[in-house]
Amino acid sequence: MAWSLSFVLIAACALLASGVSAAPSKTAVKPRNQELRDAIEEYRVRFDELHKEKDQFLQFARTGLWATVRAMNEEVLQDMGETRNIVEYGFDDVRLDISLLIVEGNHNEQCLLDLVYEIVEEKVQLGQEISRCADDTTDAKDSLPESFYEFLNLLQRLSNSIAETTLYTFVSQNSVNDPERHLEFLEESFEETDRAWNEEALPLVQFELDAMEYNRPLIVADNVQCLQAINDRQQAFEDSIRERIPSCL
């Protein structure tokens, strides 16, 4: 995928594993001179600040994702609730009319009762249709953020490793024999890590957020369309019952 290379670059910068098979001795991890100590401390601070900066962005991404999902859920639940009320209470008036006719006692009671039974059966079927709409919408909603959450979790692990980059360099660099190369390696690692985040990882995060926001109204609209068919069916069935009532009188 497009971001696979990003992960490789970021992970390479964060882990800084350059093929050394054994950890250095205690002597190797001690700075050779004050200049090296100062430089290592400087990069430790810079990597830590970079880690905090990326952490803040990932928190922003999670907040944006949560807000989008929450808004979508609220819209879907509101539409579902309205249709449920139509199915649950939409037949009340016609059932009341039928009940009053039965109470009068001078009409075909069995015919009127059969109409009531049909209404009850139709309500069951409409309820099943609501469940089908809910299942389809839930599948669509859940499929959107799932891969994004995985992406953010991976970036979070890489972000956490940034703060330890300076320590990791002692595994791959010999500060005693070649302190200058150690410093060059720190500088290169910082620049590449910062570049990979800013130019590759973060734009992908923003793209995912934009995609979520783009798809949210589409999913809501599909759910509305599914529910509208139920609303139309309920009204058509009620009209049919009312048209058949005179045949029972």
Side-chain angles (χ1 to χ4, degrees), residues 75-89:
E75 292 180 77
V76 167
L77 288 175
Q78 179 178 347
D79 295 333
M80 287 282 185
E82 292 175 356
T83 296
R84 177 193 173 279
N85 288 338
I86 290 175
V87 172
E88 182 67 23
Y89 306 111

Side-chain angles (χ1 to χ4, degrees), residues 146-198:
E146 183 176 358
S147 61
F148 193 16
Y149 276 125
E150 294 176 357
F151 183 34
L152 290 178
N153 289 337
L154 175 58
L155 290 181
Q156 184 65 66
R157 291 194 295 272
L158 295 175
S159 174
N160 292 341
S161 71
I162 290 176
E164 305 297 330
T165 299
T166 305
L167 178 61
Y168 292 157
T169 61
F170 286 100
V171 176
S172 60
Q173 301 299 309
N174 193 325
S175 302
V176 175
N177 296 330
D178 196 354
E180 291 79 9
R181 177 54 192 153
H182 192 169
L183 293 179
E184 290 176 0
F185 191 80
L186 282 170
E187 181 178 359
E188 293 168 0
S189 297
F190 182 86
E191 291 177 355
E192 178 58 20
T193 300
D194 192 38
R195 184 206 65 78
W197 271 89
N198 292 332

Side-chain angles (χ1 to χ4, degrees), residues 43-148:
Y43 275 103
R44 184 195 66 78
V45 173
R46 293 180 67 185
F47 274 112
D48 188 59
E49 291 176 348
L50 185 64
H51 154 67
K52 292 178 180 178
E53 175 188 329
K54 305 317 173 189
D55 253 13
Q56 290 177 352
F57 183 87
L58 292 176
Q59 183 59 44
F60 162 78
R62 288 191 181 89
T63 301
L65 176 61
W66 177 82
T68 298
V69 172
R70 178 180 178 180
M72 182 165 50
N73 286 338
E74 289 177 348
E75 292 180 77
V76 167
L77 288 175
Q78 179 178 347
D79 295 333
M80 287 282 185
E82 292 175 356
T83 296
R84 177 193 173 279
N85 288 338
I86 290 175
V87 172
E88 182 67 23
Y89 306 111
F91 293 110
D92 285 359
D93 289 343
V94 68
R95 291 179 66 177
L96 177 60
D97 293 342
I98 294 174
S99 298
L100 293 176
L101 291 173
I102 293 175
V103 170
E104 289 180 4
N106 55 352
H107 305 296
N108 188 335
E109 181 176 342
Q110 187 58 51
C111 178
L112 293 171
L113 286 174
D114 288 342
L115 294 180
V116 174
Y117 296 148
E118 288 186 37
I119 291 174
V120 172
E121 179 63 26
E122 180 66 10
K123 287 182 64 175
V124 172
Q125 294 182 17
L126 291 176
Q128 293 173 347
E129 287 299 303
I130 292 177
S131 296
R132 182 184 62 80
C133 290
D135 290 342
D136 292 344
T137 302
T138 298
D139 290 342
K141 290 194 298 94
D142 291 347
S143 65
L144 276 181
E146 183 176 358
S147 61
F148 193 16

